[in-house]
Amino acid sequence: MGDKKHIRADFVPGHYQFTTDKGSSFTIGPESAPYDYLLGALSGCLFSTFEELAVKMRISWEHVSFEVHAEKREDVPTTLRELSITVEATGVDNQQKFSKAFETATRYCSIYQTISGVSEMHWSVDFR
């Protein structure tokens, strides 16, 4: 049986939020559009998947950051048309293994794979 997930969403006039079973709450509002959550979820899922692989491959780094840019379609439904992820990594001990682990993470990350069903996906890694 797969890992079960659950959130609770509450909507009252002037306050919208969702809360995880672990107690983290996220406000939904004009300053945070639904696609912000989607791109944040993609970043978190992709990094977690990468990190698991990097540990197994014994890759070390000092800092990793993602810049995620997406463009929505104009036609309804307005799914993503194109998405690009630029990874910036510093203090990487083996750049070739790092890139291989990241490429593998894009194949294993469920959110990346879900979005790739409707969007053209691109990624790159810059080492500093």
Side-chain angles (χ1 to χ4, degrees):
M1 180 182 291
D3 188 22
K4 295 186 178 188
K5 299 294 179 190
H6 168 260
I7 63 113
R8 175 184 169 93
D10 292 289
F11 305 96
V12 297
H15 185 76
Y16 307 152
Q17 75 175 29
F18 66 92
T19 306
T20 69
D21 282 344
K22 293 181 181 180
S24 296
S25 291
F26 301 89
T27 301
I28 304 167
E31 68 283 345
S32 56
Y35 275 90
D36 296 338
Y37 290 109
L38 178 64
L39 300 182
L42 168 63
S43 297
C45 181
L46 189 54
F47 180 78
S48 293
T49 305
F50 163 79
E51 185 176 34
E52 285 181 26
L53 293 164
V55 167
K56 289 177 184 175
M57 296 172 71
R58 295 186 175 105
I59 302 166
S60 64
W61 67 88
E62 292 174 6
H63 183 220
V64 174
S65 64
F66 292 0
E67 290 283 337
V68 182
H69 298 273
E71 182 180 333
K72 290 171 57 177
R73 287 182 170 77
E74 292 182 16
D75 300 334
V76 175
T78 56
T79 58
L80 294 177
R81 184 182 71 73
E82 188 171 359
L83 186 143
S84 66
I85 302 166
T86 302
V87 179
E88 185 174 296
T90 59
V92 174
D93 66 342
N94 187 320
Q95 295 179 359
Q96 184 177 6
K97 283 174 65 175
F98 184 102
S99 294
K100 178 63 177 167
F102 191 81
E103 185 274 327
T104 303
T106 65
R107 290 187 281 121
Y108 289 5
C109 172
S110 59
I111 295 175
Y112 186 98
Q113 287 301 310
T114 298
I115 295 171
S116 73
V118 297
S119 178
E120 184 178 319
M121 307 289 278
H122 306 279
W123 62 269
S124 64
V125 178
D126 295 331
F127 296 102
R128 306 283 175 189

